[in-house]
Amino acid sequence: MYRRFGEVDAAGTSPLYKRVAVALSESDEALRAIGAAPARKRHPTVILAALHDLALAGRAPALAAAYATGDGDAAADAAIDTLLRMTDSVVAIAVRRQTRTDETGRCAVLYPAIAEAARRVGADAVGLIDVGCSAGLNLNVDRVGITYSNGQSLGDPSSPVQLSSSIVGDRPLPMRAMPEVVARVGIDLDPVDVTDPEEARWLRACLWPDQPERAARLDAEMALAATAPPLLLRGDALEVVPDAFARVPADALPVVTTAWALSRFPLESRLRFLHRLDEAAAGRTVAWVSAEGVGVAPTIPTLGDRRASGHSIIGLAVFDGATLSAEAVGRCWSQGRMLAWLGDTT
């Protein structure tokens, strides 16, 4: 597992983690230490994030120094040494935490789809409900600036958070601005509070240490979120969604977003989630914007694409009483870093 992670997953993306992962795979002592963690917590992304967390916390200075200089050999030696000396600490962090990938181009996908949902319903205000929100960074979708490779831009050009996405094909995005966001509610089994230094450090620890541009972007996103923290609800989405809807003012359109969150649900739970949205729509119009793998989001057309094809479908569903309209409005790759819009652009 560690050799494959180093030679395949990290290759070409993180030379530092490639070297560290391969070194761990070649050390019997290191593998025995990793074996002290529960089986589901032995994956390289979890153990490497736990080691990174110790480095960021100042508890593994040699590892921190090697990461700072990008010295792969020194990092490999320090990672093994830290793992052997602090096995209990590494395992404790791995057991307590979930790996997070909060910063990406998700807002580049969500913004045009949310704006389109509001246009279709004629909404002057929206309330965002993000399922599987982690730290709720997606809830600031209207507060970031987004530039697309075809020259189009959306959001706030003066925002401290600036994202980019490459457009695939020649179809432009709709350029409608998102209406006022009057509620921001996140749902997660274990939400992350970015105003808590330890929680914020863990988000940084989940990034690969030789990608400073990603770390800088995450810091900017967390700082933006901290200026107006969203409401984060802890619990199973199937149970908490009704409470989330109650937090959206009656004169605003509730827009539920799921960005690579439903794949963690079994099919039965995904269908129950759809039923929850349908129940909420008995008293008001509800929209659902999804960015999920092909065939993951119920009712969203797959466009004939094959499952596990390497890209995701951007879905837009509107529940209006007994009526449900569901459409695939785009495809995206690399969690929003590349986007092909298929929906209406007028």
Side-chain angles (χ1 to χ4, degrees):
M1 184 193 302
Y2 276 75
R3 178 172 292 279
R4 176 178 173 79
F5 178 84
E7 295 181 346
V8 177
D9 297 342
T13 304
S14 174
L16 203 59
Y17 266 4
K18 176 182 178 180
R19 179 70 186 90
V20 171
V22 171
L24 291 173
S25 78
E26 295 172 343
S27 169
D28 291 339
E29 289 181 304
L31 294 177
R32 278 195 293 272
I34 293 168
R40 62 188 178 85
K41 293 292 189 175
R42 296 173 190 166
H43 192 274
T45 55
V46 181
I47 297 300
L48 290 172
L51 288 167
H52 195 190
D53 189 62
L54 291 172
L56 292 173
R59 299 174 62 190
L63 183 60
Y67 281 171
T69 60
D71 187 330
D73 290 336
D77 291 342
I80 292 173
D81 179 67
T82 302
L83 179 59
L84 298 184
R85 286 189 303 103
M86 307 179 70
T87 301
D88 290 346
S89 296
V90 173
V91 170
I93 295 171
V95 168
R96 187 172 78 253
R97 299 290 194 181
Q98 298 181 52
T99 52
R100 304 288 188 170
T101 55
D102 287 72
E103 53 70 55
T104 56
R106 299 180 183 192
C107 289
V109 168
L110 296 176
Y111 191 110
I114 294 170
E116 174 64 12
R119 182 195 71 83
R120 293 187 181 190
V121 174
D124 296 323
V126 297
L128 302 179
I129 301 172
D130 190 29
V131 174
C133 69
S134 185
L137 302 184
N138 291 341
L139 292 166
N140 286 311
V141 57
D142 60 315
R143 302 176 67 202
V144 306
I146 311 164
T147 302
Y148 298 91
S149 61
N150 64 355
Q152 292 183 283
S153 60
L154 292 170
D156 181 0
S158 64
S159 172
V161 177
Q162 295 294 318
L163 306 176
S164 61
S165 180
S166 296
I167 295 295
V168 176
D170 56 7
R171 187 163 190 160
L173 294 165
M175 292 304 294
R176 285 175 289 276
M178 192 181 304
E180 180 186 7
V181 177
V182 295
R184 305 174 197 270
V185 185
I187 302 173
D188 199 282
L189 288 171
D190 186 24
V192 176
D193 178 4
V194 296
T195 65
D196 182 316
E198 288 191 9
E199 299 282 295
R201 188 182 70 228
W202 175 248
L203 290 186
R204 296 185 184 96
C206 291
L207 299 182
W208 297 3
D210 52 350
Q211 297 177 337
E213 69 288 347
R214 294 182 66 191
R217 186 165 65 242
L218 176 61
D219 284 344
E221 290 186 351
M222 290 195 295
L224 180 64
T227 62
L231 173 63
L232 302 181
L233 302 179
R234 182 184 300 272
D236 185 324
L238 297 175
E239 306 301 325
V240 178
V241 157
D243 184 20
F245 278 113
R247 310 299 180 105
V248 178
D251 58 351
L253 171 69
V255 181
V256 178
T257 59
T258 63
W260 298 281
L262 293 186
S263 59
R264 297 192 291 270
F265 291 25
L267 176 59
E268 180 184 355
S269 295
R270 282 180 259 154
L271 294 174
R272 287 179 59 203
F273 171 74
L274 193 71
H275 182 62
R276 287 294 194 196
L277 301 186
D278 190 51
E279 287 178 331
R284 66 196 303 185
T285 302
V286 171
W288 170 34
V289 168
S290 60
E292 304 284 354
V294 177
V296 171
T299 78
I300 300 300
T302 60
L303 306 174
D305 298 348
R306 298 174 59 184
R307 291 177 182 267
S309 57
H311 69 272
S312 299
I313 300 289
I314 307 165
L316 171 56
V318 176
F319 301 76
D320 187 3
T323 303
L324 166 62
S325 64
E327 181 183 344
V329 294
R331 295 185 178 95
C332 64
W333 295 257
S334 300
Q335 296 195 328
R337 294 185 182 91
M338 298 170 63
L339 166 64
W341 187 259
L342 304 174
D344 185 14
T345 60
T346 59

